[in-house]
Amino acid sequence: MKELKLYEVLQRASIFLEEYGREKQVAEILLQHYLNVSRTQFYAMMREPLSQEVIHSFYKDIETHCKTGKPVQHMTGKEKFYGRSFTVNEHVLIPRPETEELVQHVLVFIRKNFANQSVSIVDIGTGSGVIAITLALELPKATIYATDISKKAIQVARKNAKNLHADVHFMEGDFLQPVLKHNMHPKIIVSNPPYIDVNEKSEIVDTVIDFDPHIALFADEQGLAAYKKLVNETKMLTKLPSLIAFEIGHNQGSAVRSIVKRAYPFADVKIIQDLNGKDRVVLVHLKAK
């Protein structure tokens, strides 16, 4: 049997992916994973022959992805976020690049308003822990907490924190309930809650709808239920935070602003667009009355 070189295997897989309407980049990510090499090494190996074992396993995964939509991240078991590699599986939402922008805005706010201070931050609905862990590593003086209702998600987040040597205190529970239970007073509350309208399930691509946990994706009340619950629960805190930061859907800016303003008429609410020009982040600065 003729030996196939890396570029030939990659080319065949890319054609197969295109025929199924899938992203060609999946081939490169998967093959790089199987070869366990860096991106630079990968491109330097283009004319090198591949073993039949690697080719067989690689093509098998490509076929699975094409026919079922199984995300490449579930095959490799990892995804990059803020330059770091995180473990992911079917129990957590695969982190998206847009969420990095949420983290960036929180970092800017803290560095501007609490430079060199020890602030407490809680990440609500942490999932794989990407937000909490990134904040812990970028802000070594901060005290970071993270909550999630899913025991299995907490297990993934703990594993990521251990692998990345991040000091995060994880608490199992629904939204702010663990924070209220322990009478905590976080300075910053950050969350990427479920915000897709349950009535839009039929419009979601199979790589998401069939593999991401629905509890992390969908919310009632046109996708706004989580924001209403989170804002209402912050009012139960004995001391208000300085900042509440949300990731939102591209058409939810005005609605989330209204939810916040009903609870906190005095709040400074900013709706920030992502790199694609879509509403993505809401920053709620709670000033003293």
Side-chain angles (χ1 to χ4, degrees), residues 3-21:
E3 281 189 328
L4 291 176
K5 294 181 172 61
L6 191 157
Y7 80 89
E8 294 174 308
V9 173
L10 189 63
Q11 191 174 49
R12 291 184 185 185
S14 297
I15 292 170
F16 194 65
L17 286 160
E18 272 194 309
E19 288 174 352
Y20 276 85

Side-chain angles (χ1 to χ4, degrees), residues 163-224:
N163 290 344
L164 291 166
H165 310 290
D167 187 9
V168 178
H169 307 279
F170 293 101
M171 301 179 292
E172 186 183 338
D174 192 25
F175 288 94
L176 275 167
Q177 289 307 306
V179 176
L180 295 167
K181 179 182 176 182
H182 295 288
N183 194 29
M184 296 164 60
H185 309 111
K187 213 57 163 159
I188 312 289
I189 293 174
V190 58
S191 182
N192 176 20
Y195 57 70
I196 301 174
D197 186 347
V198 290
N199 296 316
E200 294 178 3
K201 284 186 178 182
S202 61
E203 301 172 27
I204 307 301
V205 295
D206 58 355
T207 52
V208 174
I209 190 72
D210 293 339
F211 296 95
D212 274 339
H214 286 199
I215 194 173
L217 291 172
F218 299 105
D220 292 324
E221 301 181 56
Q222 297 177 307
L224 299 170

Side-chain angles (χ1 to χ4, degrees), residues 38-82:
S38 69
R39 188 178 173 86
T40 303
Q41 291 171 317
F42 182 76
Y43 283 110
M45 294 170 60
M46 280 294 166
R47 304 200 71 81
E48 292 186 19
L50 299 183
S51 71
Q52 285 302 312
E53 182 183 1
V54 166
I55 293 172
H56 174 75
S57 298
F58 169 66
Y59 279 154
K60 186 178 177 182
D61 274 353
I62 288 291
E63 185 176 6
T64 297
H65 173 72
C66 285
K67 292 184 176 180
T68 70
K70 185 175 181 178
V72 63
Q73 295 90 341
H74 285 185
M75 296 174 180
T76 63
K78 59 188 178 182
E79 176 63 308
K80 285 284 184 72
F81 185 86
Y82 222 80

Side-chain angles (χ1 to χ4, degrees), residues 66-102:
C66 285
K67 292 184 176 180
T68 70
K70 185 175 181 178
V72 63
Q73 295 90 341
H74 285 185
M75 296 174 180
T76 63
K78 59 188 178 182
E79 176 63 308
K80 285 284 184 72
F81 185 86
Y82 222 80
R84 301 179 178 97
S85 183
F86 287 81
T87 292
V88 294
N89 60 25
E90 70 275 14
H91 301 303
V92 298
L93 195 69
I94 296 170
R96 269 62 169 181
E98 293 84 358
T99 306
E100 293 185 356
E101 297 187 48
L102 171 65

Side-chain angles (χ1 to χ4, degrees), residues 21-47:
R22 303 292 185 184
E23 297 281 344
K24 288 200 298 181
Q25 188 184 12
V26 166
E28 183 181 316
I29 294 169
L30 261 182
L31 196 48
Q32 191 175 322
H33 168 71
Y34 269 113
L35 295 171
N36 193 26
V37 294
S38 69
R39 188 178 173 86
T40 303
Q41 291 171 317
F42 182 76
Y43 283 110
M45 294 170 60
M46 280 294 166
R47 304 200 71 81

